[in-house]
Amino acid sequence: QVQLVESGGGLVQPGGSLRLSCAASGSIFSIYAMGWYRQAPGKQRELVAVITSGGTTNYADSVKGRFTISRENARNTVYLQMNGLKPEDAAVYYCNAHGVTTEADFGSWGQGTQVTVSS
C-alpha cells in the first residue's frame, strides 16, 4: 500500500503564491507519474499538472505559465509551485501517483489540501 501525504495549502490573496508538496511512502519500487488534481465545490475533479519519472510535464491550460510541477524521484516527492493565484484556483488539491510496488501496480490519492484565494 502506498500513502500520499500533502502539505502546503492555505489562504492567500489574489496574485499570491503557494507551494504544495506531496510525499509518497510504502513499498514503492517505481513511480511512473505524479500529479496534482483539484476539485472546487460543485465541480468535477480536474487535472492541474502531471510529471513523469523522466520529467515530462503536462499542464491544464488554465494554469500554464503560472504553476510549475517538479519532483524529487529519490524522495518520491512532487511539488506544485503556484504563482499568480486567482480566485478561480481555489479548490481542494489532491496529489496522485501511480507506479509499481514490490508486489503490484498501484494508483493512490492523497487526502487533499485546501487552497483558498481571497482578499
Side-chain angles (χ1 to χ4, degrees):
Q1 189 173 2
V2 175
Q3 296 82 36
L4 303 180
V5 178
E6 301 130 333
S7 60
L11 171 65
V12 64
Q13 293 185 342
S17 298
L18 282 175
R19 188 189 194 215
L20 306 182
S21 300
C22 171
S25 63
S27 301
I28 299 169
F29 180 75
S30 178
I31 299 179
Y32 303 142
M34 301 185 78
W36 292 94
Y37 291 72
R38 66 187 181 187
Q39 187 167 19
K43 294 187 177 182
Q44 290 189 332
R45 190 172 298 188
E46 63 176 1
L47 173 70
V48 177
V50 64
I51 185 168
T52 69
S53 58
T56 300
T57 58
N58 189 37
Y59 295 91
D61 287 342
S62 60
V63 307
K64 284 180 180 177
R66 299 187 297 122
F67 292 11
T68 302
I69 189 169
S70 60
R71 65 187 280 183
E72 288 188 71
N73 289 335
R75 295 187 176 188
N76 292 326
T77 299
V78 65
Y79 306 96
L80 185 68
Q81 178 66 44
M82 305 185 292
N83 299 327
L85 281 160
K86 304 176 181 180
E88 52 264 41
D89 294 317
V92 178
Y93 282 68
Y94 296 92
C95 177
N96 174 267
H98 69 270
V100 59
T101 68
T102 54
E103 296 180 353
D105 293 345
F106 75 90
S108 297
W109 290 92
Q111 79 285 357
T113 185
Q114 179 71 51
V115 171
T116 303
V117 184
S118 175
S119 55

